[in-house]
Amino acid sequence: MIAPLDVQLDRDDRTMVQPDVLVVCDRGKVVRRCVYGAPDFVAEILSKSTWEKDMYVKLGKYEAAGVREYWIVDPKKKRVLVYDFEHTDFPALYTFMDQIPVGIFDGESGEESMELTEEILRDALHYGKAFTKLGRTAQYIPELRAVNRYYLGICTMDLDGNVLEVGDTRVPFTIQSISKLVSLILAIRDCGADHLFHEKVGVEPTGDPFNSIVKLETKTRPFNPFINAGAITVASCIQGKDADEKFGRFLEFTRKLCNNHEIALNQPVYESERETGDRNRALAYYLKASGILEGDVEECLDFYFRMCSVDVTAHDIAYMSLVLANHGIDPLDGEELIEPQYAKAIRALMLTCGMYDGSGEFAMTVGFPAKSGVGGGIAVPLVDRMGIGVFGPALDEKGNSAGGIKILEYLS
Ligand code: GLU
C-alpha cells in the first residue's frame, strides 16, 4: 500500500533498480522503513531489528517471502547494504551515498500511502467470493452450521479516520477464537506477562490443530495462548470471583476495543458451545491435573464458552485491529487500552500462531499478523497503518475463512 519512493540507484552494469524493502537506519536504530513489493510481516520484523543484528539469519525468510532486492541505508555510516537475491548469493555492501536523494533521510518526505479505495476493496471481495463455495461453515454446532456461507465482507479503518466497508460488514457473527486476543490482554494485566508466559503458556506455534490434545502429555505448558489448551489456561488467569464477573470484565473490555457498546452474548451459541464442549472440557481437566490450570475448571470453562460466543461484526473487529495497529492506543480518545509492548507481543503472536495450523502458509502468502475464529472472522492489525476486519463464515480445512484469506491475499 505504500507508493514507491523515487529512489533508484544506478548500480554497476545494471540500470536503475528499486528495492522491495528500504530501511533507513540512524546509528543502528531503524528510523524509517518503506515497503514496496514485500509483505508486511517482513517490514514488521525489520522494524524491530536493529542495524545488521540477526539480519543474516532472516535472509532466507525474506527470500521465501518474495523479496528480491532489499536495502538498508545508513546515512551516518554513509553506506548502503544491498541484499540482492536475484543477482548475488550473498549480500553486497555498497557505498554510493552520492546517488541517494537527500529527501529519503528527512523522515516524512517521500513515503506516501497509496490510497486504498472502495473500488480496490470491491475487487478484493469479488476475488474472495469465488472461494466461499470451496469452504463450509463450522459444523460442530447447529447455530454455526446454519449460517449463510456466502456472506463475505471487509472493513478497513486507518489512523486518519478513513473507514471503508464492502460486503457483509454489519452482519453479526460469533467472535470465537478472536476473543483469545481480548482474554490474553486481560490475563497479562491480571497476572503479569512474566508469570503468564513463563509459567502458564508458551509463545511457539504448534503445527497441530487448534483443539489438539496431543502435546499436553509431552509438554507441560500449552504451546501458545491461541490454541484451545492455551486459551483455556489464559482464561483461568483472568480475575473475577466467578464466571459472571470474569465475563462482565471481558465484555466491557471487548466493547471498548471494538468501540461498540452494544456488543452482547449470543445466548444460543453459548448454550451449544457449553453442551458440545467436551473436548475443551477434556483439555481443561488435563491442564488442571497437570497443575497448569488453577481454580474451578467448570467455572473457567463456562467463562471460556461465553467469551467465544459474543456477537461482533467485521466493523467491530476492524476497530479492535486498529487499536492493536496503533500500539494499543484508542485512536479516538488517545486512551491506552493495551500497553504498547503487549500490543507488539500480541501482533507477533498473531503473525506466528494466529491462523491455527495454517499460520505458516498464511504468513507466506499474505504476510499480515492476523487472528481468525471459526465464526468466520479475521482481525488484522497493520502496524501504524490500519485495522482490518474480515467476515466470511465458509471455512477452509484449517478452520480459517476461505474467502477472507483470499481477500487478504488480494490486498497484500
Ligand atoms: N468455541 C470454539 C472452541 O473453543 C472456538 C474455536 C475457534 O474459533 O477456534 O472450540
Side-chain angles (χ1 to χ4, degrees):
M1 294 306 154
I2 295 175
L5 260 184
D6 192 17
V7 177
Q8 296 186 326
L9 297 184
D10 194 0
R11 210 177 77 215
D12 302 341
D13 53 332
R14 298 170 55 196
T15 44
M16 308 298 256
V17 289
Q18 190 161 51
D20 294 319
V21 179
L22 181 144
V23 180
V24 181
C25 298
D26 181 358
R27 274 157 290 182
K29 212 170 155 278
V30 175
V31 292
R32 177 123 189 270
R33 68 188 160 80
C34 302
V35 186
Y36 304 92
D40 199 55
F41 86 93
V42 174
E44 180 137 331
I45 298 165
L46 283 174
S47 70
K48 288 182 204 138
S49 313
T50 50
W51 172 249
E52 285 175 303
K53 187 170 163 267
D54 295 338
M55 282 303 170
Y56 290 85
V57 293
K58 291 187 183 124
L59 289 177
K61 241 187 220 166
Y62 302 150
E63 187 171 14
V67 175
R68 292 285 161 263
E69 178 101 12
Y70 155 46
W71 301 354
I72 301 176
V73 181
D74 190 332
K76 289 288 179 311
K77 290 185 184 159
K78 292 236 183 296
R79 64 179 182 175
V80 179
L81 192 64
V82 174
Y83 297 91
D84 177 353
F85 294 114
E86 258 168 358
H87 298 88
T88 55
D89 294 341
F90 210 68
L93 190 65
Y94 293 84
T95 309
F96 40 22
M97 294 301 293
D98 297 351
Q99 294 181 49
I100 300 177
V102 176
I104 71 166
F105 301 128
D106 63 8
E108 290 308 306
S109 70
E111 188 175 350
E112 302 156 17
S113 287
M114 191 176 89
E115 216 187 318
L116 180 64
T117 60
E118 206 174 294
E119 199 185 335
I120 295 174
L121 285 192
R122 274 196 196 290
D123 289 344
L125 189 83
H126 184 73
Y127 175 67
K129 271 266 182 207
F131 294 86
T132 54
K133 59 175 168 297
L134 301 178
R136 56 182 199 154
T137 55
Q139 300 289 300
Y140 68 96
I141 52 174
E143 292 79 6
L144 294 184
R145 205 183 307 136
V147 173
N148 174 359
R149 71 172 165 152
Y150 297 108
Y151 277 141
L152 197 60
I154 173 164
C155 174
T156 65
M157 297 183 186
D158 71 18
L159 286 166
D160 297 324
N162 302 308
V163 178
L164 296 173
E165 293 180 66
V166 297
D168 305 305
T169 55
R170 303 292 176 136
V171 173
F173 59 90
T174 44
I175 187 169
Q176 297 293 351
S177 265
I178 301 171
S179 64
K180 295 170 184 173
L181 300 174
V182 183
S183 53
L184 181 58
I185 303 163
L186 284 176
I188 289 174
R189 262 194 210 160
D190 286 356
C191 70
D194 272 354
H195 178 68
L196 193 70
F197 291 121
H198 287 119
E199 309 292 328
K200 296 295 178 184
V201 288
V203 290
E204 301 299 337
T206 65
D208 294 325
F210 68 98
N211 57 3
S212 176
I213 203 161
V214 69
K215 291 235 164 61
L216 286 187
E217 233 190 327
T218 52
K219 185 104 174 104
T220 41
R221 288 177 312 157
F223 264 65
N224 68 65
F226 293 158
I227 53 169
N228 282 12
I232 292 167
T233 305
V234 167
S236 75
C237 297
I238 293 174
Q239 278 169 19
K241 66 176 186 313
D242 53 20
D244 281 347
E245 194 174 307
K246 282 186 181 202
F247 181 67
R249 293 184 61 218
F250 170 89
L251 189 60
E252 191 190 334
F253 192 45
T254 304
R255 288 171 170 169
K256 270 197 143 181
L257 284 171
C258 295
N259 191 34
N260 177 358
H261 293 278
E262 306 206 325
I263 287 175
L265 182 72
N266 181 323
Q267 188 71 24
V269 170
Y270 159 55
E271 283 168 18
S272 281
E273 291 281 353
R274 201 182 47 197
E275 274 156 36
T276 60
D278 289 335
R279 200 178 170 97
N280 285 327
R281 220 162 258 124
L283 288 171
Y285 278 101
Y286 200 96
L287 288 162
K288 172 88 181 180
S290 316
I292 301 284
L293 194 150
E294 291 166 50
D296 187 287
V297 180
E298 287 302 328
E299 201 80 62
C300 168
L301 283 164
D302 189 28
F303 165 63
Y304 176 79
F305 294 136
R306 279 196 247 181
M307 76 176 212
C308 289
S309 307
V310 162
D311 268 337
V312 288
T313 64
H315 187 273
D316 294 330
I317 57 171
Y319 198 89
M320 183 191 289
S321 305
L322 182 65
V323 173
L324 279 165
N326 195 30
H327 308 275
I329 312 293
D330 187 331
L332 278 184
D333 58 12
E335 186 183 348
E336 186 181 283
L337 298 177
I338 312 163
E339 274 186 60
Q341 85 242 43
Y342 300 132
K344 182 174 162 188
I346 288 165
R347 289 196 309 271
L349 281 167
M350 292 169 88
L351 199 60
T352 52
C353 316
M355 301 293 281
Y356 307 117
D357 46 333
S359 298
E361 199 182 328
F362 184 80
M364 286 283 290
T365 53
V366 179
F368 298 155
K371 182 74 204 87
S372 66
V374 294
I378 310 179
V380 183
L382 299 186
V383 69
D384 288 330
R385 287 159 69 187
M386 65 175 68
I388 303 177
V390 177
F391 167 52
L395 308 178
D396 63 17
E397 70 288 354
K398 309 269 189 193
N400 297 310
S401 171
I405 283 188
K406 290 295 170 182
I407 292 185
L408 294 167
E409 209 176 289
Y410 184 95
L411 291 177
S412 72

